[in-house]
Structure formats: C-alpha cells, structure tokens
Amino acid sequence: FAIDGQHRVEAIKQALERKPELGSEELSVIFVAHRTDEEGRTRTRRLFSTLNRYAKPVSKGEIVALDEDDAFAIVTRRLVEEFPLLRSGLEKGDVGFVRFAKTTPLPATDRMSLTSILALYDITEIVHIPFLDRAQRRRMKRLKHRRPSEQKLDTIFEEQALYWGLLKEHIPEYQELFSSRPEEQVAGKYRTLEGGHLMFRPAGQKAFARAVRIMMDRGAGMRDAVAALSSVPMALDASPWQYVLWNPSTKRINSKVSALLLESVFLYYVGQNPRRDSYDLLDEYRKVVGDPQAELPPVGLSG
C-alpha cells in the first residue's frame, strides 16, 4: 500500500515509545480506494509516485517500490518476485538473497543477502544503458520517466535474467550461494570483516556491471564479457582492491572511491583501456593507494 505521511507515522511510533498513553488518542485518516486488481494497484502507485516525484522528490527506495513509469524499478520488482535466482520468497515467508532496505550497502550483520534492492536497481540500469554512445544513452535514460511497452519491459527482464545467470555460471562462489538457502549464510562466508569477495559487495557488483556494459559497447557479447571479467582477482584484502575499494584499517568499503577507477581496474585486467581516453589509470591508482611508486600487475593494455 502507498502511504502518504511516512514521517508522521514514524513520529507517532516514537511518541508512543516515550509516552504509551498517547495510544488511546484518535487520529483522522483518509483512505483512497482503488480497484483491488493489478490495474487498480498500478494506478494508485503511479498517482502516489508521480505526485511525490514532481511535488517533492521521493527516495530511491520509494521509486523502486512504487514507480510504475520507471522501467528499471518495474524490472527490479519483477526480478525479486519472479526470477528464480533472486526471488524473495516473501509470499511463503522465506528470506531471500536480496535485502530490502533504504540504503545500498549491506550491514556487517547481514550474512544472508547477496545484494540490496537499491543495488539491484542500479545494476539493472547499468547493464541495459550504453555508456559510450552518448546520444543513445540520453534517449534510453527516458526509460526512467516514461513507461515503455510490455514487450520492452520483457526484453529488459530477460537481459537481466541472462546477466545473473552468467554470473552464476562463471563465478564459483555464486554457484555455491545460489545452490544454498539464505539461512545457510553462504553470503556471510564471502563478506567478512577482513573484506572477503568483491562480488558480495554492492559497490563491487556495480563496478563489475559497468565493466561488462563497456565491453558490450565495444562489441563483446555479454557472455564473453562476464567470462573475461570473472577471472579478475576478487579478494578485497589484496591487490588491486586493498586501499582502493577496501580499507583494511577501518575494515570498511571505501564509499568515496571513484566509480571510474573501479571499472577501469576491471577493464585493465582484461586488456581494455578505460572508457575515457584521457583517464590516467596508473596515476589515479597511485593517488588512491597513497603510494607514488605503486604498480598494477603487468597485464598490458591492448585497447
């Protein structure tokens, strides 16, 4: 259900914690009725999200949960509701591999989730929209504001299903995860206080997706791009990710690191140049790690 007045609801909850006797007071509320079929619910969600989008910006979480015009929000919901690998299982009361939260990063205490709903939304957009063709990128950005045809939504959904299927095929740790139940806590095995596996962190997942998209823009098929990039070193507590994406001192993901640097490191390992010709990867890498003599492994840039 779309709720208008979330801040008031939260204020009431906190007030009741401090002063339980307020629970006997009454408040007037308005229920906006709609047809109980899917068309009726869709219309109500669109009304709510459209009003809030243009009257007062809504959070990304509300867009993902409610927006009926944003193609990537629609597909993200379908992925957790229909796609076997990511299905939330909420209808049965199960816990899924996708965390429903207001933030993208996963808390250290979460040992069951592979990614967050907001990260899944970002990855869906990254994989679908080209980086290198600016005119096409601008046109496709309209998918966030104007609902496309059902056929187009199906195409995006199938593309994302293929992408996650290829990740499972080429990343052994994903094979282990998707062959388990969330309560077995395989995700916690690869997301540890020492860093763990890059592809169990939303920031790493998005960097990988950007590199895949860039390789696709350059003519590679999705299968070949995922296969090549899955061979890149993934340990966060070792080169090239230590002091770049992972801070071993604070034992936290470096949230301020440039997305361009992360994707460029991935591309470098498979012999690809950064997407920007003027980008000096080695210089930026040395700045971030704080060592003017630091070197990336000699894999060679072939363009």
Side-chain angles (χ1 to χ4, degrees):
F1 293 92
I3 301 175
D4 188 17
Q6 299 93 323
H7 298 95
R8 286 181 285 276
V9 172
E10 289 303 316
I12 290 170
K13 289 179 181 178
Q14 293 186 30
L16 289 172
E17 289 178 359
R18 299 178 186 180
K19 199 173 181 181
E21 57 268 29
L22 291 174
S24 62
E25 297 194 4
E26 295 183 353
L27 292 172
S28 62
V29 297
I30 298 174
F31 290 89
V32 180
H34 58 71
R35 294 195 304 274
T36 56
D37 56 15
E38 185 56 33
E39 182 180 353
R41 287 189 288 270
T42 296
R43 183 175 181 275
T44 299
R45 287 197 296 265
R46 177 180 285 119
L47 174 65
F48 175 84
S49 61
T50 299
L51 285 172
N52 281 279
R53 180 191 289 274
Y54 297 107
K56 180 180 179 181
V58 297
S59 70
K60 182 191 279 188
E62 290 169 325
I63 290 173
V64 174
L66 297 168
D67 204 305
E68 289 292 345
D69 293 312
D70 187 328
F72 305 111
I74 296 168
V75 171
T76 298
R77 293 197 296 269
R78 281 190 62 186
L79 286 170
V80 297
E81 291 170 358
E82 301 174 19
F83 183 51
L85 295 184
L86 298 174
R87 237 182 129 252
S88 66
L90 294 180
E91 293 176 1
K92 298 180 180 179
D94 298 335
V95 178
F97 291 120
V98 179
R99 181 181 178 87
F100 292 81
K102 297 179 180 179
T103 57
T104 299
L106 296 171
T109 55
D110 186 335
R111 298 182 56 81
M112 293 188 288
S113 304
L114 170 62
T115 192
S116 68
I117 190 74
L118 299 188
L120 181 60
Y121 170 84
D122 290 338
I123 292 166
T124 301
E125 179 182 348
I126 290 167
V127 171
H128 187 70
I129 299 183
F131 273 107
L132 303 184
D133 186 332
R134 293 185 178 181
Q136 186 181 12
R137 185 171 178 81
R138 283 195 298 271
R139 289 194 301 271
M140 295 185 73
K141 280 284 188 178
R142 297 172 187 167
L143 290 168
K144 294 169 68 72
H145 305 287
R146 186 181 303 166
R147 185 186 181 106
S149 67
E150 293 304 311
Q151 182 179 6
K152 178 63 176 178
L153 290 172
D154 288 342
T155 298
I156 299 174
F157 177 83
E158 291 164 4
E159 172 191 63
Q160 303 304 314
L162 173 62
Y163 177 72
W164 284 97
L166 289 172
L167 291 181
K168 178 185 177 183
E169 181 180 335
H170 291 283
I171 299 175
E173 294 81 2
Y174 274 25
Q175 294 175 20
E176 181 182 355
L177 176 87
F178 288 129
S179 298
S180 71
R181 298 185 305 276
E183 56 268 27
E184 293 178 51
Q185 300 190 0
V186 172
K189 175 180 173 182
Y190 294 107
R191 188 172 55 249
T192 69
L193 291 177
E194 301 306 317
H197 196 289
L198 176 144
M199 288 298 284
F200 284 77
R201 303 281 182 163
Q205 293 162 356
K206 290 193 285 185
F208 186 97
R210 281 191 293 270
V212 168
R213 181 67 253 184
I214 292 164
M215 290 183 67
M216 290 170 62
D217 291 350
R218 291 171 174 170
M222 183 187 287
R223 178 175 296 276
D224 291 338
V226 171
L229 290 164
S230 63
S231 66
V232 174
M234 298 287 188
L236 284 170
D237 61 347
S239 177
W241 307 112
Q242 186 164 251
Y243 296 108
V244 176
L245 182 56
W246 179 253
N247 186 327
S249 300
T250 61
K251 299 188 182 301
R252 292 179 180 273
I253 288 290
N254 180 7
S255 60
K256 296 182 179 180
V257 67
S258 162
L260 181 57
L261 173 59
L262 297 179
E263 74 186 39
S264 297
V265 171
F266 266 115
L267 292 170
Y268 170 82
Y269 268 89
V270 295
Q272 295 264 337
N273 288 317
R275 61 182 158 97
R276 294 181 186 173
D277 293 337
S278 60
Y279 188 75
D280 189 330
L281 171 59
L282 183 59
D283 182 59
E284 292 300 319
Y285 176 77
R286 287 172 170 173
K287 288 178 183 177
V288 171
V289 300
D291 180 359
Q293 304 301 319
E295 296 287 344
L296 286 162
V299 296
L301 292 171
S302 60

